[in-house]
Amino acid sequence: MANVKKESTSNGGGMVSGIIIAACIGVGVVIWKFIMGNPENFEGGNIETGTPLNTLGQVYHGGAVVPVLLGMLLMVLVFSIERFFVISKAAGKTNLDAFMTKIQASIKQGEIEEAIATCDKQQGSVANAIKSALIKYQAVKKEGFNSEEAAETIHKEIEEATSLEMPMLQKNMTSISSLVSLGTLIGLLGTVSGMIKAFGALAAAGTPDQAALAAGISEALINTATGIGTSAVAIISYNFCTSKIDDLTYSIDEAAVSIVNSYRRFRGSLKQ
């Protein structure tokens, strides 16, 4: 049943991601066609032969790759915003550092019930994983496990809890990391395509036209600039989200160590 539920959730998440990607590309096409391609952005209102009057007109002449790059930039922004809210929710209702300080203090004092109550108030993936470990701590304490058995049992419990709570944090991170490379590659593809068209037009004309060549190269390089910009935003977003996820994972591991050490002190006090 758990596997069926997990597969269903994965399929649903993949469908939502697919819809987001299609929607972003669609919005990119609309922006390119109707906003950048507005006749007011070109001299004489002529989109094809009129000189661009502003940046929007210049970017429009970058060609059909531009809407794809715009869509990819929108994907990065949408996925980044979505990840930010998910990671914030996973951290819980209050500041994570303050929560961890309170939990550590309760565990060191042996006040496990108070620590569990704190987790209930905090909520989120981190608190849920720590709560599972605390409940397991109470169980092994009643059963009288030795320190090594207890450590293994508690670590196993927190690993299982983490495997259930944390995968959602990694969702869409693959998409963001892929956009890091795809942004630059598609930008270069647009540049090469534009250069081929520019030199092809000059070859057909038969006479070198420096102004026309410069204009063609300028329009082709727009794709490179847009692609690099998309990749830069994706890199920043990916590193930021990865750093936050690592912080959450470290907090869980830190709590697990404290719980195990608390049990060892408890066992040590029984031997005295």
Side-chain angles (χ1 to χ4, degrees):
M1 182 65 69
N3 291 335
V4 173
K5 184 177 180 181
K6 184 176 181 180
E7 183 178 352
S8 176
T9 303
S10 177
N11 292 337
M15 185 178 297
V16 171
S17 297
I19 293 173
I20 291 174
I21 291 172
C24 288
I25 295 294
V27 173
V29 172
V30 170
I31 294 173
W32 177 72
K33 186 71 175 177
F34 297 103
I35 298 179
M36 294 181 173
N38 190 321
E40 295 181 358
N41 297 326
F42 303 89
E43 186 177 358
N46 192 319
I47 298 175
E48 299 300 327
T49 60
T51 302
L53 299 176
N54 51 38
T55 303
L56 293 177
Q58 291 177 338
V59 175
Y60 175 82
H61 277 172
V65 175
V66 172
V68 177
L69 290 170
L70 290 174
M72 292 173 64
L73 179 58
L74 288 172
M75 288 180 218
V76 173
L77 295 176
V78 170
F79 287 140
S80 299
I81 293 171
E82 185 263 349
R83 286 296 87 196
F84 175 78
F85 283 110
V86 169
I87 292 172
S88 298
K89 185 177 180 181
K93 292 184 175 181
T94 61
N95 180 269
L96 183 61
D97 291 336
F99 165 72
M100 289 304 301
T101 299
K102 190 173 182 180
I103 283 290
Q104 295 275 14
S106 298
I107 293 173
K108 288 180 180 179
Q109 295 172 9
E111 299 173 349
I112 305 303
E113 290 295 339
E114 182 178 338
I116 292 175
T118 302
C119 290
D120 290 333
K121 293 178 182 178
Q122 177 74 2
Q123 299 183 2
S125 298
V126 175
N128 291 340
I130 295 175
K131 180 181 176 181
S132 297
L134 291 170
I135 292 174
K136 180 59 66 174
Y137 169 92
Q138 291 180 318
V140 298
K141 188 176 181 180
K142 289 179 180 179
E143 294 177 13
F145 286 8
N146 62 44
S147 297
E148 295 306 319
E149 289 176 339
E152 183 178 350
T153 302
I154 292 171
H155 278 301
K156 184 177 180 180
E157 176 66 22
I158 206 161
E159 284 175 3
E160 291 178 354
T162 302
S163 67
L164 292 174
E165 295 287 346
M166 303 305 279
M168 284 300 294
L169 298 178
Q170 298 291 343
K171 181 183 174 184
N172 294 329
M173 291 298 294
T174 302
S175 298
I176 296 176
S177 65
S178 297
L179 289 168
V180 172
S181 300
L182 287 175
T184 302
L185 291 175
I186 293 180
L188 290 174
L189 176 63
T191 300
V192 172
S193 176
M195 295 287 283
I196 291 172
K197 291 179 181 179
F199 283 109
L202 287 175
T207 56
D209 187 339
Q210 294 182 353
L213 179 61
I217 294 175
S218 175
E219 292 170 3
L221 290 176
I222 287 171
N223 292 305
T224 303
T226 307
I228 291 174
T230 300
S231 296
V233 175
I235 290 172
I236 294 171
S237 172
Y238 181 82
N239 288 338
F240 175 81
C241 293
T242 301
S243 175
K244 291 297 182 181
I245 292 172
D246 288 343
D247 287 343
L248 299 183
T249 305
Y250 175 77
S251 297
I252 294 175
D253 292 340
E254 186 180 17
V257 172
S258 295
I259 294 170
V260 170
N261 289 338
S262 177
Y263 187 83
R264 284 172 176 165
R265 287 195 298 269
F266 166 73
R267 293 291 300 178
S269 65
L270 294 179
K271 297 178 181 179
Q272 294 177 356

